[in-house]
Amino acid sequence: MRVYLDYNATAPLRDEARMAIMAALDETGNPSSVHAAGRQAKAKMDQSRRTIAQALSAASGDIVFTSGGTEANNLGVLGLAAANGCTHILVGAVEHTCVHAAAKASGLLVEDIAVNKGGALDLAALAQAIEALPSGAKPLLCLMLANNETGVIQPVQAATQMLHEAGGLVHIDAVQAFGKMPVRLSEIGADSLAVSAHKIGGPLGVGALALACGTKIAPNAHGGGQEFGRRGGTENVPGVAGFAAAVEAAIAELEKSADIAALRDHMQSQLAGLAADIKIFGADVPRLANTLCFAVPDFAAETQLMAMDLAGFAISSGAACSSGKVKASAVMLAMQVPVALASCAIRVSLGALTTRKELDAFVGAWGEALIRARANEAA
Ligand code: PLP
């Protein structure tokens, strides 16, 4: 039996997306061409743009398609900073690597804003950082809506209000949140927001940046004026069509969130029954319904990943493995989790197809791996 429990890494392609991709692949046409085939491709882009705009509560003319969440975040961070004369970039300490890297690449002054032990942005630390800016500074805040490792939901509305009152701008990374909870750009009030198709059952390598009405953005990819001059390059029509189909299906499925959370909570209490010293990250704060991140002291993430893979379960850890050494997750460290415990943290992420039977099987196999690890320790 193979059980996939790594939806936050990527989700299985939805049937609706596959059908839309196949249909678009069978049609020839460059959306920039004036003939009928080109107009048909453009119509497909326009329709997909409307679907995604509506899902995000943005205008369709403010959706810029990209090659994924990474590019959408890069465009948001670098494009907003460049077009609006930003002087400083404030980055939440648990942001995805692509956001940290884009901020660094801007060449502007970058400051990390701490999170509290629960994993949510420390709004007092944000207020202090804004306060400490020199007069005339124009900050850009980069903040995720939900964390990829813990699922913890960030106070995006309050943070956005603080930045706007200080004359700054806000870019939101909604890559993990989109399709798992309602994401409405107009309600958050931010200036830009990044999403990605493959996290919600769309194809890999497609994403979008949604902009608030009237937001100025400088392109990162210069070219033939596609995407309203905001991202050059012939559009990935099949990918975009697949993305829109996945969005429709994911939004229709949002009502299942409570059932997914109930499954996750069931698994959480089963695991806690097996290890009294288990630490569940984000248990006491709002988090995504599908995400469970936990650690048991001295039960290394690497050992767990290998044992569970052998038993047929795909899960993940935040720990990065380089040159044979496992490095503790930066997210855990930012949450002040001690290094030893951080290197034991693993993530199980569920989807709408996940069953209770699969989770019970996971808990059984994990419990056996824990007993083996404890026996090895004692030997
Ligand atoms: N932002 C977050 C929070 C993510 O979890 C990911 C993917 O893991 C990304 C950005 C990057 O998205 P993509 O894989 O589409 O480049």
Side-chain angles (χ1 to χ4, degrees):
M1 173 171 82
R2 298 294 312 170
V3 177
Y4 190 78
L5 295 172
D6 203 10
Y7 278 72
N8 286 12
T10 195
L13 189 69
R14 290 174 185 270
D15 291 340
E16 297 88 340
R18 184 177 298 105
M19 276 158 56
I21 294 165
M22 297 307 278
L25 279 173
D26 281 337
E27 288 167 19
T28 305
N30 183 325
S32 300
S33 301
V34 290
H35 48 61
R39 292 199 303 278
Q40 200 169 323
K42 175 149 189 327
K44 197 151 259 179
M45 289 295 296
D46 290 346
Q47 179 55 44
S48 304
R49 208 183 291 283
R50 278 194 294 275
T51 301
I52 292 167
Q54 198 185 357
L56 289 171
S57 175
S60 60
D62 290 326
I63 300 292
V64 183
F65 286 114
T66 65
S67 66
T70 298
E71 190 195 328
N73 275 324
N74 271 266
L75 181 59
V77 175
L78 295 166
L80 279 184
N84 297 282
C86 293
T87 55
H88 293 67
I89 304 193
L90 309 177
V91 184
V94 295
E95 295 307 301
H96 191 267
T97 328
C98 68
V99 170
H100 283 293
K104 198 169 163 211
S106 72
L108 298 176
L109 289 160
V110 179
E111 188 180 340
D112 276 6
I113 307 297
V115 295
N116 56 33
K117 286 188 176 175
L121 192 82
D122 180 344
L123 290 172
L126 177 62
Q128 262 175 18
I130 294 173
E131 190 76 25
L133 290 170
S135 80
K138 187 161 184 150
L140 166 66
L141 171 69
C142 308
L143 185 60
M144 58 191 359
L145 180 42
N147 184 265
N148 41 310
E149 288 179 37
T150 60
V152 169
I153 295 167
Q154 301 294 330
V156 288
Q157 256 158 314
T160 298
Q161 202 177 337
M162 286 163 71
L163 261 287
H164 283 172
E165 280 166 8
L169 288 98
V170 179
H171 167 72
I172 300 291
D173 174 359
V175 166
Q176 285 296 340
F178 190 39
K180 297 179 186 145
M181 61 182 275
V183 176
R184 306 184 69 76
L185 177 58
S186 61
E187 276 170 26
I188 296 169
D191 302 282
S192 65
L193 179 143
V195 291
S196 177
H198 75 100
K199 305 288 186 187
I200 59 167
L204 293 149
V206 188
L209 184 73
L211 297 167
C213 180
T215 301
K216 287 191 284 175
I217 190 120
N220 289 349
H222 303 272
Q226 290 92 345
E227 297 298 300
F228 314 103
R230 291 154 170 167
R231 196 250 188 191
T234 300
E235 300 87 336
N236 175 2
V237 182
V240 165
F243 187 10
V247 167
E248 274 182 333
I251 299 295
E253 245 175 29
L254 272 181
E255 59 192 30
K256 289 192 186 157
S257 288
D259 298 340
I260 295 177
L263 277 180
R264 188 264 321 269
D265 293 345
H266 163 73
M267 172 174 55
Q268 182 175 310
S269 55
Q270 300 278 101
L271 292 169
L274 294 175
D277 50 354
I278 196 167
K279 167 81 182 144
I280 311 283
F281 301 105
D284 307 321
V285 291
R287 68 183 150 150
L288 292 176
N290 80 319
T291 307
L292 178 59
C293 181
F294 61 95
V296 171
D298 303 322
F299 191 16
E302 203 186 7
T303 310
Q304 297 182 67
L305 287 195
M306 287 191 303
M308 298 319 290
D309 189 31
L310 276 174
F313 298 92
I315 56 163
S316 121
S317 81
C321 188
S322 70
S323 334
K325 278 192 191 153
V326 175
K327 242 173 85 191
S329 136
V331 170
M332 297 288 119
L333 297 182
M335 289 165 68
Q336 296 171 48
V337 177
V339 181
L341 188 61
S343 50
C344 295
I346 61 164
R347 176 189 74 191
V348 181
S349 48
L350 288 53
L353 300 175
T354 306
T355 64
R356 188 174 168 136
K357 202 170 147 209
E358 288 174 336
L359 296 182
D360 287 345
F362 171 81
V363 171
W366 183 84
E368 284 169 20
L370 177 63
I371 291 169
R372 281 198 303 275
R374 295 262 150 100
N376 284 344
E377 245 172 67

